[in-house]
Amino acid sequence: MALRNRKPTSPGRRFQSVSDFADITKTTPEKTLLAPKPKTGGRNSYGRKTSRHRGGGHKQQYRIIDFKRNKDTVPAKVAAIEYDPNRSARIGLLHYADGDKRYMLLPHGLGVGDTVTSGADVEARVGNALPLRRMPLGTQIHNIELIAGRGGQIVRSAGSSAQLLAKEGDHATIRLPSGAVRRVRIECMATVGQVSHLDHANQKIGKGGPARHMGKRPTGRGSAMNPR
């Protein structure tokens, strides 16, 4: 993974950089794991604009991600690494031994052909999902459940990881990417490793203030717009 700098064909492009997508191995998504993602363009059910400055963009489909990782003891092979327009991290297409296919958040260091498993008795290595109770202290984790069985809810963005600090009674203590320390029930599941696409935080969108750097298009004041 690396960043590609744009040619300075305009002041806005002078400092832009984007991912080179060299890690992507499959460009078409798995059809059985797609869901519709309709856009409103800021209009309500009457077709009237109720939210300004929305519209346009490329048509997208939602990729159904397996945040629960509840297919225990069944090994799965990483068949492809794909781009997901709905999140900053890369996703991996898993082919399970029983023929099932699912998407997972791809951990850093996991590649095509590698095998992952989930369950209470699996080894704590990159890509495997298991309860916090079974993990050694100091393990880097992501996709962490807050309520057992609900699926991972925190530490899911590109390059992020938490650390398991302590286990005491029915709770585990983890350090989040922000530096905050939080207690989670010890039976909650998490995935070992750091989320992929580490270069995401280093991408530069270009000039235009904080809104432009956050990936948002700056909008003009209504009073400065053409009234027609």
Side-chain angles (χ1 to χ4, degrees), residues 134-150:
R134 310 287 293 190
M135 292 185 182
L137 297 182
T139 305
Q140 271 194 324
I141 54 177
H142 65 275
N143 190 38
I144 305 166
E145 289 184 334
L146 296 178
I147 298 176
R150 178 173 288 185

Side-chain angles (χ1 to χ4, degrees), residues 107 110 114-117 122-130 139 191-193:
L110 204 67
D114 293 339
T115 303
V116 296
T117 323
V122 302
E123 181 187 356
R125 60 182 175 85
V126 174
N128 285 356
L130 56 156
T139 305
T191 306
V192 179

Side-chain angles (χ1 to χ4, degrees), residues 76-141:
K77 187 173 71 172
V78 179
I81 298 173
E82 298 184 22
Y83 167 78
D84 188 348
N86 307 297
R87 63 194 70 255
S88 57
R90 301 292 187 235
I91 58 175
L93 177 63
L94 300 182
H95 285 186
Y96 281 88
D98 61 0
D100 194 11
K101 296 180 181 180
R102 296 188 184 184
Y103 278 131
M104 69 172 287
L105 289 180
L106 189 75
H108 177 63
L110 204 67
V112 174
D114 293 339
T115 303
V116 296
T117 323
S118 60
D121 299 322
V122 302
E123 181 187 356
R125 60 182 175 85
V126 174
N128 285 356
L130 56 156
L132 296 174
R133 180 193 305 275
R134 310 287 293 190
M135 292 185 182
L137 297 182
T139 305
Q140 271 194 324
I141 54 177

Side-chain angles (χ1 to χ4, degrees), residues 26-122:
K26 185 169 176 281
T27 55
T28 55
E30 182 67 32
K31 288 186 177 181
T32 58
L33 298 174
L34 295 178
K37 186 185 174 187
K39 292 185 177 181
T40 63
R43 272 77 172 173
N44 63 7
S45 59
Y46 294 102
R48 296 167 184 157
K49 188 180 289 189
T50 56
S51 182
R52 299 193 309 161
H53 311 301
R54 294 193 182 186
H58 198 289
K59 188 174 182 180
Q60 297 174 343
Q61 289 178 300
Y62 182 76
R63 276 74 167 167
I64 302 171
I65 310 295
D66 180 18
F67 292 114
K68 293 186 178 182
R69 297 292 302 277
N70 55 3
K71 205 170 179 67
D72 292 350
T73 69
V74 181
K77 187 173 71 172
V78 179
I81 298 173
E82 298 184 22
Y83 167 78
D84 188 348
N86 307 297
R87 63 194 70 255
S88 57
R90 301 292 187 235
I91 58 175
L93 177 63
L94 300 182
H95 285 186
Y96 281 88
D98 61 0
D100 194 11
K101 296 180 181 180
R102 296 188 184 184
Y103 278 131
M104 69 172 287
L105 289 180
L106 189 75
H108 177 63
L110 204 67
V112 174
D114 293 339
T115 303
V116 296
T117 323
S118 60
D121 299 322
V122 302

